[in-house]
Amino acid sequence: MPYTKLYFNRLSLGLVKSSTQINKRYKHNSTISKDLSNFQITKNEQDLINNLPFFKNIEKKKPKKAKKSETEAGERGVYVNKKLAVVGNYFADPENEGYFKYTLPESKTNPYYDVLASGKLDKIIQSKKELPRLSVTKLLTKRWCELRETYDIYSRLPIFSHNQVKVGNIIHSKLENISHPLEVEVEQFKKEFELIVPTDSFHNFANKWIDLISKFAVLYLEGDAREILCHGYLNSKSDNFLKNKTADNFSEDILVSGIADHLFIRRRKRPEGDDNHILFPEIQLKSDIFDSFSSDMDTILNYLDKNINQLISNLEVVITDVKTRNSKTIPAYSSVVKYSKLQVMYYRYLLKLLSSDPKITYHNLLKNVRYRGFDVDKPIDPAMMIPILMSSDLFMNDCRKLRDGLTVPNNFFKTDPHSNQGTQNKAYDWSKYENIIADPNIQNRLSEFFVKWKQPVTLRYLAMRMSQFYYYTGKLLSNQLYIEYYFKGVNFQTTPFKYNHQLLEDEIKSSSKFWFGKRSIEPIDPSMKNLRSYCDNCDYKSVCLWKKEGFEKLNGLGKDLLNVQKHFINGSLNGNNLGESSLL
Ligand code: SF4
């Protein structure tokens, strides 16, 4: 269907979905864990894990591995060999031939500066470009085994993209398309558009920000949104995120980014134990609060600004994370369950930080742009803006203001930061499109813009709008978090848990100390259960000294126990004092 038809179809439907449609959007078949109070592994989860056949039979036999296609197995073999060769350069232990040490290499004791940013630091400082980012998932170093994570970091190879990862990406993308059909329409429009939409790194980056602003608008208009970007700056000296402070030291303040899978709005006061609607947005400002539908950015932000206190008492924004599984089970590893919860807590933490002061958030967003080597005042190509303006009214009024050189309203800045930074003088001439574009629908809708603009659309303008949305969203965040488990596209289990600030702060410190070389590696506890489960599924199992020594100790323990038992029996037969024999 041509895009313009889609656009007018949507308009004729008034863009308001019936409640039946909304319910279809959130149809799922999920069971909900009942323990809402504790972030740690719940009894329910622990029972589920312990009762998995994998652990029940652990003493009897090795677990069966899922069959992989020959191609995937072959590709994985090549990948693992490549990894072992690189990691061996740093970790090979001369005293234990064929094994890798579990201590950091003396020449490279700082995983971030010596490995991730290695060789780039001087260049980066000179060019004032961005240091390599960390992601929230990279901070979860103990999600599996920190030693495995360390080897992977030093291998500098991307994670192997096995089938489960590919399936997960498809499901995330499907869910995103359901929540954000406009993005799909914009992409469809671009395919049929007469102009070439730029895809260079600057415009791709701008596109991400435009998407994010649109998603925030959808959050308030529709009640939920997916794939919301968040970030913060982790200071490598203090091992903490910068709070109420701009990132000024780009060799110390490291950008950490993440994507919160799913945000939805629901009523804050709920009957005790009422979980029936936890994954359904319970409010849509467009139909429940605004008299008539409006997707104008200023109307939404003004509404939020005027009513924020009342909204805080009545509504909350809940964050959930979507995990895709290859069977209807939650992960068999307790650390994976625990760190999945911490991951969602990180998103909440970062979104909250971004809401503390919109001016600081705005300046940090601009810093991020500069660190990437982009100009915050560079005009965004009109060929990128036309599909956006054709797809919704969200940016229309702002674009009119920019076109006419008027202030774009923002309650947090005394003067419009956009108009004060010399952007007026940048040429932004849309007049040529009057003759270039033949599509009558575009001409009808956008002809008012085909003139010389007084101010261009820039990343600076987008940063200002983003900082406003971050501010209100952070104020509304709930302490209740969820993980949604999906199998074959259907949500089969949802795990609720509470945000635990102190625990997360401790994790941040610990993870930062690892990344910046202030503590040693902390591998899995070498119990029989761990060595048999974690290690069996690890790419380093054939070379890992920690695993080898772990088994040796356990075997030695077995012999000791046997000796003690023999001694005990002999002693008993010889009539010795049993109490003296049991020295365990
Ligand atoms: S083999 Fe076991 S201990 Fe060694 S890195 Fe892998 S999971 Fe960790």
Side-chain angles (χ1 to χ4, degrees):
M1 187 184 289
Y3 163 75
T4 41
K5 202 165 168 197
L6 275 173
Y7 169 70
F8 289 109
N9 276 352
R10 282 184 345 92
L11 276 189
S12 64
L13 287 171
L15 290 166
V16 180
K17 292 179 183 67
S18 68
S19 56
T20 333
Q21 280 174 298
I22 298 291
N23 285 341
K24 245 187 218 165
R25 202 175 159 195
Y26 297 97
K27 200 168 181 181
H28 63 99
N29 183 20
S30 159
T31 51
I32 315 264
S33 312
K34 288 293 172 203
D35 189 345
L36 299 175
S37 58
N38 193 354
F39 125 87
Q40 295 286 0
I41 307 299
T42 62
K43 182 166 183 321
N44 190 13
E45 285 161 348
Q46 195 59 63
D47 289 347
L48 278 168
I49 291 169
N50 286 339
N51 287 329
L52 286 168
F54 180 84
F55 285 124
K56 272 188 162 175
N57 300 330
I58 202 160
E59 301 303 332
K60 297 179 202 154
K61 58 178 181 183
K62 286 191 171 187
K64 274 189 193 164
K65 286 198 181 128
K67 277 193 181 162
K68 292 188 178 97
S69 74
E70 277 183 20
T71 332
E72 189 182 327
E75 282 171 8
R76 183 156 194 117
V78 173
Y79 167 81
V80 171
N81 285 342
K82 210 166 152 189
K83 246 186 0 182
L84 294 182
V86 182
V87 178
N89 291 333
Y90 301 108
F91 289 90
D93 184 359
E95 287 166 26
N96 290 282
E97 211 180 318
Y99 286 93
F100 290 177
K101 289 185 285 191
Y102 43 83
T103 49
L104 289 164
E106 273 167 32
S107 58
K108 290 187 186 297
T109 53
N110 190 315
Y112 180 80
Y113 288 106
D114 293 342
V115 183
L116 212 67
S118 121
K120 297 180 191 148
L121 210 51
D122 288 344
K123 261 192 252 160
I124 286 163
I125 289 171
Q126 274 166 22
S127 61
K128 298 206 169 187
K129 280 196 179 175
E130 188 191 39
L131 275 169
R133 263 167 299 152
L134 287 170
S135 61
V136 165
T137 42
K138 278 193 177 133
L139 293 186
L140 308 171
T141 54
K142 292 186 189 164
R143 185 176 32 169
W144 182 271
C145 163
E146 197 170 75
L147 184 56
R148 185 186 83 162
E149 198 65 30
T150 313
Y151 291 154
D152 276 349
I153 293 165
Y154 281 71
S155 83
R156 291 193 172 121
L157 286 173
I159 300 288
F160 184 72
S161 182
H162 53 76
N163 276 340
Q164 184 55 25
V165 173
K166 289 174 196 158
V167 170
N169 290 341
I170 293 169
I171 289 176
H172 273 84
S173 156
K174 275 189 182 165
L175 290 169
E176 193 183 356
N177 290 345
I178 292 169
S179 292
H180 301 284
L182 272 181
E183 279 180 32
V184 182
E185 289 181 26
V186 169
E187 286 313 308
Q188 182 63 25
F189 177 88
K190 284 180 185 170
K191 282 184 198 155
E192 297 168 14
F193 189 30
E194 301 155 63
L195 305 180
I196 294 170
V197 179
T199 52
D200 57 280
S201 54
F202 168 80
H203 283 95
N204 285 344
F205 184 76
N207 200 30
K208 275 190 194 155
W209 277 17
I210 290 169
D211 270 358
L212 181 62
I213 291 172
S214 308
K215 284 174 178 180
F216 272 127
V218 168
L219 172 66
Y220 292 105
L221 294 171
E222 301 272 1
D224 82 324
R226 292 194 184 260
E227 312 279 317
I228 297 291
L229 299 174
C230 51
H231 68 269
Y233 284 89
L234 180 62
N235 183 272
S236 61
K237 289 272 179 322
S238 68
D239 297 312
N240 226 325
F241 278 94
L242 295 186
K243 290 173 189 130
N244 295 319
K245 187 175 175 307
T246 50
D248 292 325
N249 188 332
F250 53 86
S251 60
E252 266 181 31
D253 300 330
I254 312 300
L255 183 66
V256 176
S257 58
I259 302 176
D261 275 343
H262 189 193
L263 268 60
F264 65 93
I265 303 180
R266 68 178 190 184
R267 291 178 208 291
R268 197 175 282 276
K269 288 183 190 123
R270 337 181 37 77
E272 189 74 20
D274 172 20
D275 292 325
N276 294 336
H277 302 286
I278 55 164
L279 297 177
F280 291 70
E282 292 183 313
I283 194 128
Q284 296 169 277
L285 298 190
K286 77 173 179 200
S287 51
D288 296 2
I289 293 180
F290 294 136
D291 289 341
S292 58
F293 170 73
S294 169
S295 65
D296 171 61
M297 183 124 49
D298 218 33
T299 312
I300 301 168
L301 287 166
N302 256 333
Y303 178 82
L304 293 175
D305 189 59
K306 288 208 179 83
N307 298 285
I308 190 65
N309 290 333
Q310 193 202 341
L311 290 173
I312 290 170
S313 350
N314 296 325
L315 300 178
E316 59 185 6
V317 170
V318 179
I319 307 174
T320 79
D321 200 52
V322 172
K323 301 283 179 209
T324 53
R325 306 282 304 143
N326 56 10
S327 63
K328 265 192 176 185
T329 53
I330 64 163
Y333 303 94
S334 53
S335 67
V336 176
V337 176
K338 174 181 169 184
Y339 278 85
S340 297
K341 293 178 180 179
L342 277 164
Q343 185 180 353
V344 194
M345 284 194 219
Y346 265 109
Y347 298 142
R348 190 197 180 282
Y349 180 91
L350 294 178
L351 283 170
K352 194 78 188 168
L353 272 188
L354 286 162
S355 86
S356 1
D357 183 335
K359 277 184 261 173
I360 289 176
T361 298
Y362 164 77
H363 285 295
N364 276 337
L365 285 166
L366 295 188
K367 286 238 151 79
N368 182 0
V369 173
R370 293 192 181 107
Y371 284 178
R372 286 165 189 265
F374 301 140
D375 177 355
V376 295
D377 294 319
K378 180 178 168 175
I380 293 169
D381 195 316
M384 170 164 269
M385 291 311 298
I386 289 172
I388 315 271
L389 293 174
M390 284 302 289
S391 64
S392 94
D393 292 338
L394 189 64
F395 289 90
M396 282 292 237
N397 279 340
D398 275 8
C399 281
R400 285 186 184 112
K401 290 193 176 98
L402 293 172
R403 177 196 65 194
D404 300 340
L406 301 173
T407 300
V408 175
N410 185 315
N411 305 310
F412 304 110
F413 296 86
K414 280 199 182 111
T415 50
D416 174 5
H418 182 256
S419 62
N420 274 347
Q421 304 292 330
T423 53
Q424 295 103 320
N425 299 327
K426 305 240 172 170
Y428 206 50
D429 190 354
W430 288 42
S431 52
K432 61 181 175 188
Y433 297 116
E434 195 167 4
N435 299 321
I436 293 175
I437 293 176
D439 187 334
N441 290 315
I442 302 178
Q443 289 290 349
N444 277 345
R445 183 165 162 83
L446 301 184
S447 61
E448 62 170 300
F449 293 107
F450 297 161
V451 293
K452 276 188 185 172
W453 289 35
K454 295 211 164 117
Q455 297 176 75
V457 182
T458 59
L459 291 174
R460 182 191 293 280
Y461 153 74
L462 296 176
M464 187 189 75
R465 282 313 200 186
M466 275 163 67
S467 63
Q468 285 177 285
F469 273 119
Y470 275 129
Y471 176 77
Y472 299 115
T473 307
K475 296 273 166 267
L476 289 164
L477 288 175
S478 169
N479 275 335
Q480 188 65 60
L481 306 169
Y482 296 90
I483 296 176
E484 301 169 51
Y485 290 103
Y486 277 74
F487 172 60
K488 290 191 173 169
V490 178
N491 172 219
F492 67 90
Q493 161 109 12
T494 300
T495 305
F497 56 99
K498 293 269 191 230
Y499 175 70
N500 183 329
H501 187 72
Q502 190 51 53
L503 185 106
L504 184 65
E505 291 262 4
D506 294 345
E507 275 299 321
I508 291 167
K509 274 230 167 328
S510 166
S511 181
S512 176
K513 283 185 191 307
F514 165 81
W515 270 103
F516 302 118
K518 297 177 200 172
R519 69 162 168 82
S520 40
I521 307 164
E522 293 170 6
I524 47 161
D525 180 36
S527 67
M528 183 60 82
K529 188 172 172 178
N530 283 346
L531 295 176
R532 281 270 166 83
S533 52
Y534 287 82
C535 302
D536 263 7
N537 288 296
C538 174
D539 290 345
Y540 304 97
K541 63 184 170 195
S542 60
V543 294
C544 176
L545 189 59
W546 181 263
K547 177 194 156 199
K548 179 178 172 268
E549 288 181 357
F551 270 121
E552 281 169 2
K553 273 184 202 142
L554 288 170
N555 285 338
L557 195 64
K559 277 181 202 139
D560 287 350
L561 283 172
L562 215 59
N563 288 338
V564 169
Q565 195 184 22
K566 273 185 200 156
H567 185 63
F568 185 81
I569 292 166
N570 289 341
S572 163
L573 289 174
N574 295 335
N576 284 351
N577 184 323
L578 296 182
E580 283 174 17
S581 304
S582 52
L583 295 174
L584 275 176

